[in-house]
Amino acid sequence: VDDWGGAVEKGMKHPIIGKSPGWDFCIGLESGMWPHNVYLLYFTITGIFGLSAFLWLLYRLGMASLPGIRSSCVNSPFPEAFMKILHVCFVMFCIDQIKIEYVRNDKYVFFVWLFFGLIIATSNIIEKKRIGQTQAVNSSLGATANFD
């Protein structure tokens, strides 16, 4: 938490587009700042612009993972049940980033983007399945209407 104040102070020096985590090539290399909070880290290094982009991405991922929230892990089709698990993991990820930023680990950073991709892919599968079911219902209703 001590690093959070330094991150906010550093971020406020360049609030729009931010500044690197501590390396200033004009005065030489300094030790980097790691505030142990991904939101403060993005604010510090990319400013409000970058933090807003990251928060927008998280919002869109959260919205994409909502179809699984009411699904049953036992009785629902696999994509909906898997989305429920992804949604829970996503919420845990968002909360966990308050205390540690994922970008510090050179291998975990790839897992995070793979995880984000799984949310989008599963959301697309669920949506295509719903569109297919809707088209099937509409075509059967249209076929029935033609017989009347």
Side-chain angles (χ1 to χ4, degrees), residues 114-126:
L114 174 69
F115 172 64
F116 290 172
L118 277 173
I119 291 173
I120 297 304
T122 307
S123 175
N124 287 341
I125 291 169
I126 292 169

Side-chain angles (χ1 to χ4, degrees), residues 2-134:
D2 294 334
D3 291 335
W4 289 8
V8 171
E9 182 181 319
K10 189 173 235 182
M12 293 307 288
K13 289 181 182 176
H14 302 277
I16 304 299
I17 59 171
K19 190 176 180 183
S20 72
W23 297 281
D24 186 352
F25 295 110
C26 295
I27 60 172
L29 295 175
E30 301 173 9
S31 64
M33 175 179 287
W34 298 102
H36 300 287
N37 180 321
V38 80
Y39 308 108
L40 287 177
L41 177 70
Y42 279 139
F43 173 65
T44 303
I45 64 175
T46 61
I48 292 172
F49 179 74
L51 177 61
S52 297
F54 183 68
L55 291 174
W56 177 82
L57 175 69
L58 292 181
Y59 169 77
R60 295 291 297 177
L61 287 166
M63 295 305 290
S65 69
L66 281 179
I69 202 165
R70 293 189 180 145
S71 301
S72 165
C73 287
V74 176
N75 299 324
S76 295
F78 179 76
E80 285 88 358
F82 186 55
M83 185 59 89
K84 181 175 195 121
I85 294 167
L86 289 174
H87 182 75
V88 170
C89 292
F90 177 73
V91 170
M92 289 171 45
F93 169 82
C94 290
I95 294 169
D96 189 49
Q97 295 310 296
I98 294 171
K99 64 181 177 64
I100 187 74
E101 64 275 352
Y102 73 92
V103 294
R104 289 180 68 173
N105 187 313
D106 61 344
K107 293 179 183 55
Y108 182 62
V109 68
F110 298 115
F111 171 76
V112 169
W113 291 100
L114 174 69
F115 172 64
F116 290 172
L118 277 173
I119 291 173
I120 297 304
T122 307
S123 175
N124 287 341
I125 291 169
I126 292 169
E127 186 62 29
K128 285 183 182 182
K129 185 177 176 184
R130 285 189 185 145
I131 289 171
Q133 288 173 346
T134 303

